[in-house]
Amino acid sequence: MTERMITVRGVRLCAESFGDPGRPPVLLIMGAGASMLWWEDDFCLELSEGGRFVIRYDHRDTGRSVTYRPGHPGYDSGDLVEDAVGVLDAFEIQTAHLVGASAGGALAQLVALDHPDRTSTLTLISTTFALPTPRGRDLPGPAREFIEFLREAHPGWTDRESAVDYLVSYARMLTGGHRPFPEREVRELVRADIDRAHDPASARNHDLLEDAPRDRPPLASIRVPTLVVHGAADPMFPLPHGHALAEEIPGARLRVLPDSGHGVERADRAVLASAIREHTAG
């Protein structure tokens, strides 16, 4: 495990690698508002011990990466796409297996469209279309519990324990409620994430990002091997999003995780790591 600060397109990002740089590289791209800690150490180690060189990194406004004033992001969504490519450049990697969760899955799709020569395979976890939903696909919105949580939650970012309680409650809601919730472990992770961040409130800047206008080909033009992984109990993007995404990308395979919600849950870690190792073996 080697954490380092890198310069990507003029800004400082924090990244960490696991394993032998001579092995096939896997770039992990986390979702909106989440630092690289949400790719937990044991998961990264499982991948690296399976013969992969694993890289995770903090997005802008998360962890130890460059941080902007809350409510005033100095970048747009296109910068996050190019940041992923810049991380590969910093590690002198030409082509990598991209693994994205939630909004990180959308970023991975856009990297594959904008930089197909940098993408070996895609693994898209708990995500949906990065481009407007193709005509004729009527996808369901978030679950009622998800909408009610966002409507009623009022996090206090200036109070550490209030922020911890909010983020733990958010993580619990995202699991979909089909499994026992590992409260102690998640609370420890959230506290470590908050203590490590320059300003935890700045992570909400991701919710304010504008789309960078750019003409792109449709997702159906993606030609790299693609694995779509989706939880059957995902409250943010219900399972039909995973089915539709796998149908839209030629040759994509869908792996449904029973009882799993949104994101990378500890209960699925071994199954998910094994699926990624198999998918990236070629």
Side-chain angles (χ1 to χ4, degrees):
M1 297 168 57
T2 306
E3 184 178 299
R4 55 186 277 204
M5 297 301 298
I6 59 177
T7 300
V8 173
R9 301 168 63 242
V11 302
R12 299 284 282 170
L13 301 181
C14 185
E16 188 170 29
S17 62
F18 299 74
D20 181 354
R23 298 290 188 173
V26 174
L27 179 66
L28 303 177
I29 309 174
M30 190 33 78
S35 78
M36 67 181 178
L37 292 191
W38 291 88
W39 298 110
E40 295 195 62
D41 291 357
D42 288 348
F43 177 74
C44 296
L45 289 169
E46 281 196 57
L47 288 177
S48 66
E49 290 168 0
R52 305 292 180 271
F53 178 57
V54 179
I55 302 168
R56 64 181 183 177
Y57 68 100
D58 293 326
H59 291 298
R60 303 182 191 212
D61 276 324
T62 73
R64 293 184 175 134
S65 287
V66 61
T67 300
Y68 301 77
R69 187 158 55 98
H72 300 275
Y75 56 97
D76 59 27
S77 62
D79 288 309
L80 296 186
V81 175
E82 295 305 318
D83 284 351
V85 179
V87 172
L88 296 182
D89 290 340
F91 281 86
E92 299 183 344
I93 292 170
Q94 176 58 38
T95 307
H97 302 283
L98 306 183
V99 179
S102 192
L107 294 175
Q109 294 170 52
L110 297 178
V111 172
L113 291 172
D114 295 350
H115 302 278
D117 58 323
R118 309 300 298 271
T119 310
S120 300
T121 67
L122 286 177
T123 301
L124 308 175
I125 305 167
S126 301
T127 193
T128 190
F129 291 87
L131 301 179
T133 305
R135 185 175 299 176
R137 291 195 182 275
D138 187 16
L139 297 177
R144 175 179 53 83
E145 294 80 7
F146 180 85
I147 295 172
E148 289 180 354
F149 179 89
L150 294 185
R151 182 187 299 126
E152 296 172 3
H154 301 286
W157 296 109
T158 57
D159 180 80
R160 178 179 182 269
E161 287 308 307
S162 175
V164 168
D165 288 343
Y166 165 76
L167 291 172
V168 170
S169 297
Y170 185 51
R172 179 186 294 108
M173 182 273 302
L174 287 178
T175 66
H178 287 213
R179 292 170 169 162
F181 180 67
E183 168 95 22
R184 181 180 61 82
E185 294 86 350
V186 172
R187 189 168 290 273
E188 288 176 356
L189 174 59
V190 168
R191 283 180 171 145
D193 201 16
I194 286 178
D195 290 345
R196 187 170 168 273
H198 294 302
D199 187 346
S202 293
R204 298 302 96 197
N205 282 340
H206 288 185
D207 298 333
L208 307 176
L209 296 185
E210 298 181 357
D211 290 332
R214 177 168 181 171
D215 290 331
R216 289 186 171 98
L219 291 184
S221 67
I222 291 176
R223 291 293 181 265
V224 298
T226 300
L227 173 65
V228 178
V229 181
H230 217 94
D234 190 330
M236 182 184 293
F237 300 126
L239 183 55
H241 288 254
H243 281 287
L245 194 57
E247 291 169 1
E248 194 70 22
I249 299 175
R253 296 182 297 115
L254 174 65
R255 177 73 177 265
V256 177
L257 301 178
D259 298 325
S260 183
H262 184 84
V264 180
E265 297 183 25
R266 291 187 173 199
D268 300 314
R269 187 175 64 205
V271 170
L272 184 55
S274 177
I276 293 172
R277 288 197 303 267
E278 178 184 351
H279 182 58
T280 60

